[in-house]
Amino acid sequence: MSGTTQSFRLSYGDCDTVGIAYFAIYYPWMERTYSSWLYDNGIRAGQLSEELGVYVVGVHSEATYLRQVTVFDELTCEVRRERVGGSSYTLGFTFHRGDELVTTGTMTFACRDLEHRKTPVPERIAKLLHTLEPMPHS
């Protein structure tokens, strides 16, 4: 799935003093992978109010750490579809080091109109979300 992944190499700034990745590094990569995927599909996350008349706000996120990663490890983050509801959606993320799954995460977004009231997920976004591979569940 072109455009659904971002790859990066950990640096010292991503890790603690013993070289193990700091937990918070995953969140910017989840957001970056998501917003780059939107951009690759003609949607600018920061311009949704102008383009679609909605705000999309993050309301929940989490990450589960399965394997330790260290400085200079190369990771790939992939965005997947977790759930698409009436006014919100949840994206799933997988982080791999080569073929090894090291971390999973989710981010939930809620749609609000220009007066900040709950509003349906715009059709353009809903259709696009359904092009993502579903998040595998164990």
Side-chain angles (χ1 to χ4, degrees), residues 45-103:
Q47 297 176 350
L48 290 175
S49 61
E50 295 90 8
E51 293 179 12
L52 301 175
V54 299
Y55 294 106
V56 176
V57 296
V59 295
H60 180 80
S61 63
E62 62 184 53
T64 301
Y65 314 105
L66 306 169
R67 301 277 183 269
Q68 177 178 309
V69 294
T70 59
V71 67
F72 302 123
D73 281 353
E74 292 187 32
L75 303 180
T76 299
C77 176
E78 181 177 17
V79 62
R80 294 180 173 231
R81 181 182 73 250
E82 179 82 22
R83 180 193 63 80
V84 180
S87 64
S88 66
Y89 54 92
T90 302
L91 300 172
F93 297 87
T94 57
F95 288 84
H96 285 86
R97 175 180 46 211
D99 293 333
E100 180 183 29
L101 179 65
V102 296
T103 300

Side-chain angles (χ1 to χ4, degrees), residues 12 16 21 25 52-53 55 62 75 87 93 108 111 113 119 133:
Y12 286 107
D16 62 18
I25 65 141
L52 301 175
Y55 294 106
E62 62 184 53
L75 303 180
S87 64
F93 297 87
T108 299
C111 297
D113 67 17
T119 194
E133 291 289 327

